[in-house]
Amino acid sequence: MKSFPFIRVWEGCDLNIAKAVRQFQDRWSPYSAASRGKRVDRLIKELIDPAVASYATSSPQRYLSYIPGAGGVVPLSEIVGLVGLNSTARLQRQLLRAFVSAQAEKSERDQQFVATLETLLDLIRSCARKPPFKSKIRDTRLNGRRAQEFCRLCGAPAELTDFILGNDNAKRDDPEDKLRLSSLYCTDHRPQLPNGEWNLAYRKAKRSIMHFDKELARLTKHSGNLDKVKVQSGDPLVDLYIYHYVHKYGLTPGDEAELRNHARRMADGKLSDRKKQMVMLLHYRISQADAARRLGIERQAVFKALTALPSEFHQLPNLSGFSVYFLTSTENTH
């Protein structure tokens, strides 16, 4: 039996909401008769709405405008009923991003609030990804119970997912009686073209898949907590680069498509860890000559590497408290 999407409860989430989400998970199954029809809406109303309302009541006033439903005035279940799961997820993501951007320094309670919003976002996204009961998709013989998610190589919807959502671009090149849509890759990254030839974009992306996976893991980890640098790469400059990059775009773990697209751009742009080190040093007013000395390379190598790097990877926000850190902690980064 195929499992339904797992709902992640983020570390630090409000205990009552965490308990309600786990109860929701236990009672939700895509293949049981109880889950058909409006079962998801009823479970949100029965379990999640009271927990969110209680949390809103006990929260500081400044939090309320970021809680879906204007501080709990409109229940989450009603929002889902009015605009649908996908639109509700987009709303929650925008509210979370706005809160993260507005808080220069987060307290422990702010971190709990972020974890709580992330948990609610994951709940709604999991509901939106719930497998359909009918195997037939639209007017085709395609199996609707196949995996439907993002492209393995980027943040675009897989061909099958795109088609289910009503986009016919995926089928435009295939005869109606031979419609084959991938559940793993998007139209741009499908392994073979309709004429049977290998897709060059697919081959290029596959060659950099290890780089893509590495950057995706880093971006996801740093986006989970924007108040401190996550140690992951083993090099402080590389971790600080990812930290600044995530701040630049206001990324959160719920931004799955955006995180994957940024990882793909990094891989395609050949943004190596060495180049990240160079960018961070120069960003905080260290000269190319000093950067080369710190990294144990020639100045000309710094110049050539940064000249070839796309400008989007140079443009990072200025964050307080880091220049002194560089002067005391990056003397031996090579």
Side-chain angles (χ1 to χ4, degrees):
M1 178 181 295
K2 184 178 179 179
S3 61
F4 53 89
F6 174 73
I7 304 171
R8 178 176 179 180
V9 175
W10 288 80
E11 182 179 356
C13 174
D14 173 72
L15 294 179
N16 286 334
I17 289 183
K19 179 180 178 181
V21 169
R22 292 190 179 99
Q23 290 175 337
F24 183 101
Q25 179 93 44
D26 291 340
R27 294 173 58 181
W28 182 42
S29 169
Y31 299 108
S32 66
S35 66
R36 297 181 185 272
K38 298 292 184 180
R39 186 59 178 168
V40 169
D41 291 348
R42 289 201 298 270
L43 280 178
I44 293 177
K45 182 176 182 179
E46 177 185 345
L47 299 173
I48 307 302
D49 283 352
V52 172
S54 175
Y55 183 66
T57 301
S58 62
S59 295
Q61 185 68 30
R62 64 188 179 93
Y63 286 0
L64 299 186
S65 60
Y66 300 102
I67 298 177
V73 176
V74 180
L76 188 60
S77 60
E78 289 190 18
I79 299 175
V80 170
L82 289 171
V83 302
L85 290 164
N86 286 316
S87 294
T88 302
R90 285 193 293 270
L91 170 63
Q92 285 188 247
R93 186 167 63 242
Q94 291 167 359
L95 291 172
L96 177 58
R97 186 174 291 177
F99 178 80
V100 170
S101 300
Q103 307 302 313
E105 297 182 4
K106 296 187 192 62
S107 64
E108 185 174 341
R109 189 162 190 176
D110 289 342
Q111 293 177 31
Q112 181 198 62
F113 185 63
V114 171
T116 301
L117 289 186
E118 288 284 11
T119 300
L120 291 173
L121 175 59
D122 205 61
L123 166 74
I124 298 302
R125 286 183 57 83
S126 295
C127 291
R129 294 198 301 267
K130 182 172 173 283
F133 289 102
K134 295 181 179 179
S135 59
K136 183 178 179 181
I137 299 176
R138 295 166 65 177
D139 58 347
T140 72
R141 295 177 179 272
L142 293 172
N143 183 0
R145 290 183 178 175
R146 290 164 56 198
Q148 301 154 26
E149 194 50 76
F150 296 112
C151 172
R152 172 66 181 89
L153 302 173
C154 71
E159 281 189 317
L160 182 60
T161 305
D162 210 23
F163 183 68
I164 291 173
L165 295 175
N167 188 346
D168 288 336
N169 289 335
K171 63 177 284 189
R172 64 188 176 202
D173 296 324
D174 290 314
E176 288 291 335
D177 60 342
K178 296 183 179 180
L179 184 60
R180 296 183 179 88
L181 301 179
S182 175
S183 60
L184 296 177
Y185 303 103
C186 64
T187 303
D188 291 339
H189 288 126
R190 61 188 300 180
Q192 286 186 301
L193 301 174
N195 61 9
E197 295 180 0
W198 282 100
N199 184 358
L200 295 180
Y202 165 79
R203 288 188 165 183
K204 178 183 177 181
K206 284 288 286 186
R207 284 195 295 269
S208 63
I209 194 167
M210 291 183 65
H211 189 179
F212 169 80
D213 287 342
K214 178 178 68 176
E215 301 295 8
L216 178 60
R218 290 173 174 176
L219 290 170
T220 301
K221 184 171 184 177
H222 279 76
S223 68
N225 191 343
L226 294 181
D227 67 328
K228 62 181 178 180
V229 179
K230 296 286 188 179
V231 178
Q232 184 175 36
S233 70
D235 184 283
L237 287 174
V238 174
D239 291 332
L240 287 166
Y241 180 93
I242 298 296
Y243 178 77
H244 281 67
Y245 190 93
V246 168
H247 265 277
K248 174 183 176 180
Y249 293 100
L251 298 171
T252 69
D255 301 326
E256 293 184 59
E258 291 91 336
L259 288 166
R260 297 180 72 85
N261 280 328
H262 282 290
R264 171 49 50 202
R265 296 215 300 263
M266 287 180 167
D268 289 347
K270 299 181 179 179
L271 180 61
S272 66
D273 284 354
R274 177 63 89 193
K275 292 176 182 176
K276 294 186 185 78
Q277 294 173 332
M278 296 175 187
V279 171
M280 286 310 304
L281 290 171
L282 269 65
H283 182 69
Y284 282 97
R285 307 296 188 270
I286 293 177
S287 68
Q288 288 191 8
D290 284 343
R293 178 179 60 80
R294 289 167 182 265
L295 298 175
I297 58 179
E298 296 295 327
R299 179 183 179 280
Q300 191 67 13
V302 175
F303 175 78
K304 288 183 178 180
L306 294 181
T307 300
L309 191 66
S311 60
E312 66 175 302
F313 299 126
H314 291 265
Q315 300 164 357
L316 298 174
N318 290 317
L319 303 178
S320 61
F322 286 101
S323 57
V324 174
Y325 178 85
F326 286 149
L327 293 174
T328 58
S329 303
T330 61
E331 287 291 340
N332 298 304
T333 56
H334 57 281

